[in-house]
Amino acid sequence: MLRAASLAVTLSLAAAPALAQDGGQLFNNQCKICHSGGFMGPNLTGVAGGKVAAGSFNYSPALKAKGGEWTDENLDAFLKGPAAFAPGTKMMMAVPGDENRAAIIAYLKTLK
Ligand code: HEC
C-alpha cells in the first residue's frame, strides 16, 4: 500500500512540468513572499485592470511616474523585465516564459 502510494506521488511529480502552468502556484512560489500584504511589496488585490502604483505602498518614483493601467500587455511587459518597463523600479523579480506570465496574469485577475 505504502509503496503504491509513493509510486503515485513520484509519477505525478514527474508529470508536472508537462501540465499547463498553475498561476496560483507560481504566484505562491515567486510573488507571495513580497505581495502578501506586508511591507515588502504592494498588495495586489484588484491590481489587474487598475491604475499603476495606486495602492497604499511607498512606490518608487519610477513606477509612480509610469502612469497608465495594468492591462494584460503592461503586466506582461513588467513581469518580463521590470527594469525595462520602469527603469528604477523597486521590483527586481522577472518571470521568464510566456506561459508562466500568462498564467500569473490570469491568477492576478482572480484577486478581487
Ligand atoms: C522581492 C520582492 C518582490 C517579489 C518577489 C515580487 N515583487 Fe512585485 N513588487 C515588489 C515591489 C517592491 C513593488 C513596487 C515597485 C515600485 O514601487 O517600483 C512591486 C510591484 C508589483 C506590481 C505593481 C503593483 C501596483 O500597485 O502597481 C505588480 C503587478 C507586481 N509587483 C507583481 C508581481 C508578481 C506577479 C510577482 C511574482 C512573479 C512579484 N511581483 C514578485 C516586490 C516584489
Side-chain angles (χ1 to χ4, degrees):
M1 260 324 262
L2 203 58
R3 235 186 119 180
S6 72
L7 182 64
V9 168
T10 311
L11 284 175
S12 65
L13 282 178
L19 299 173
Q21 292 299 339
D22 177 341
Q25 200 169 335
L26 291 171
F27 185 88
N28 286 343
N29 292 341
Q30 301 181 27
C31 322
K32 204 176 172 185
I33 187 164
C34 294
H35 288 292
S36 58
F39 59 89
M40 299 262 287
N43 189 298
L44 296 182
T45 302
V47 78
K51 288 202 164 65
V52 172
S56 54
F57 181 76
N58 185 18
Y59 293 98
S60 64
L63 201 62
K64 279 196 274 192
K66 187 78 190 175
E69 288 173 7
W70 285 125
T71 58
D72 288 7
E73 292 72 27
N74 281 341
L75 282 170
D76 188 66
F78 181 58
L79 293 177
K80 190 172 186 175
F85 179 82
T89 178
K90 291 189 204 170
M91 181 159 131
M92 305 290 160
M93 177 87 197
V95 181
D98 293 353
E99 298 111 58
N100 292 343
R101 289 192 304 277
I104 288 175
I105 292 166
Y107 175 73
L108 289 177
K109 290 180 181 169
T110 69
L111 302 177
K112 288 180 181 149

